[in-house]
Amino acid sequence: MTSPSPSRSGADRCPGLLAPFVSADGAMVRLRLPGGRVDGRTVAEISSLATRYGDPALTLTSRGSLQLRGLPDPLPRALIDAIGDLGLIPSGDHDRARNIVADPVGSLDDLIAALDEGLLADPGLAGLPGRFLLAVAEPDGPALAEPWDIAIVDDGSAARVVVDGRATTVPRGQVPATALELARRFLAARVDERTWNVRDLPADLRVGLLPGGAPFVADPAGPPAPGALGDDLVVLVPLGLLTAEQAGALAGPRGPKPLRLTPWRSIVVPGGAGRAADVAATGLVTTPDSPWTVLTACAGSPSCARTDTATRDLARSAAAHLDPAGTPVHVIGCDRACGHPTRAHVTSLNPTSAADVVAAQHSSIRKA
Ligand code: SF4
């Protein structure tokens, strides 16, 4: 990560923050964390800022990043400076383009860092649409289930770079340059401002991105289950809302291995297997038999003006009554179905009680 210049204020470095997304519950700032990699102490400091200025809970996003919500509009200059001082926005121009999801394994850390570094070094790549998604994964890794545009599949000494179902194999050291060249070709082929993803291109232009590539079909594994994973700890964050106490429990000592935030509202804590009890005591999930493994919800009321349904409160009420081995349920306040999981699930639309949420899971069982 590029260090911010000490001679510039955080606001100067972070022009995008001066125009945050504003919803019914205030302004929202999205912090992009390439590959979900971020130091634990930094998460604790972001959590402290959230508590001071807005909604105390940080939101984990479906791209493995963090949001601060319920902030004043306009944003206080002190908050913008504090975020800039954390070094999380090395280039305001590139900020919306730094969308990289990745498998939460340490062996990919160097590829993610090199990809982000290469992206930041090219002013032209700042033009990538905010919806454009790069993925870095192991063969058949869970990140390949996400709606990526360009994927890097690490095979060890070499890697495949994939776009539109075609792959080219290159030495590992050439992977970032190859992937970013494909991103430039996408930018050159864009038809209009609404061409956000490779799949939006006409078929003949998609084929032209990687002529002669070998066919590639992904068969991604599911996300890692909560619990110990070797020396590491996989922690599920209920509803993707991380409190200050929980952030503190995950932080641990500042060290060379960052936390790995996943697109599945979980966090992998390197070397954290021995801390499972302390982490679980804060309400985070560290065992695979929790109902939170099958329960998600959109923001709902009062955060979203499109519904009167308090989706998160209803999900919390229903959690103890759901079958952890049953079909996943996503509680929503309208048919936009924000934040829905990419895996198979049923929806509970505008439930009026916890029983309605439970019934949604049971109804799917009866249909099966
Ligand atoms: S699904 Fe509908 S109600 Fe829920 S957050 Fe999205 S727009 Fe709002």
Side-chain angles (χ1 to χ4, degrees), residues 20 25 90 93 113 235 247 258 266 320 343:
D25 62 348
D93 291 340
V235 178
S266 61
R343 62 180 171 166

Side-chain angles (χ1 to χ4, degrees), residues 298-301 304-307 309 311 331-339:
C298 77
S301 178
C304 176
R306 288 179 61 92
T307 186
T309 303
T311 50
V331 185
I332 53 177
C334 79
D335 57 12
R336 284 193 183 183
C338 299

Side-chain angles (χ1 to χ4, degrees), residues 86-112:
L86 290 173
L88 296 174
I89 307 183
S91 165
D93 291 340
H94 287 83
D95 189 51
R96 287 181 171 79
R98 298 172 73 219
N99 295 305
I100 304 173
V101 294
D103 287 347
V105 293
S107 61
L108 299 177
D109 288 356
D110 59 333
L111 279 180
I112 296 163

Side-chain angles (χ1 to χ4, degrees), residues 198-227:
V198 168
R199 55 185 172 274
D200 298 328
L201 289 173
D204 58 327
L205 294 180
R206 291 202 308 271
V207 170
L209 295 177
L210 186 58
F216 175 86
V217 178
D219 184 18

Side-chain angles (χ1 to χ4, degrees), residues 291-314:
W292 288 111
T293 61
V294 293
L295 182 58
T296 52
C298 77
S301 178
S303 298
C304 176
R306 288 179 61 92
T307 186
D308 293 326
T309 303
T311 50
R312 287 171 170 162
D313 289 345
L314 285 161

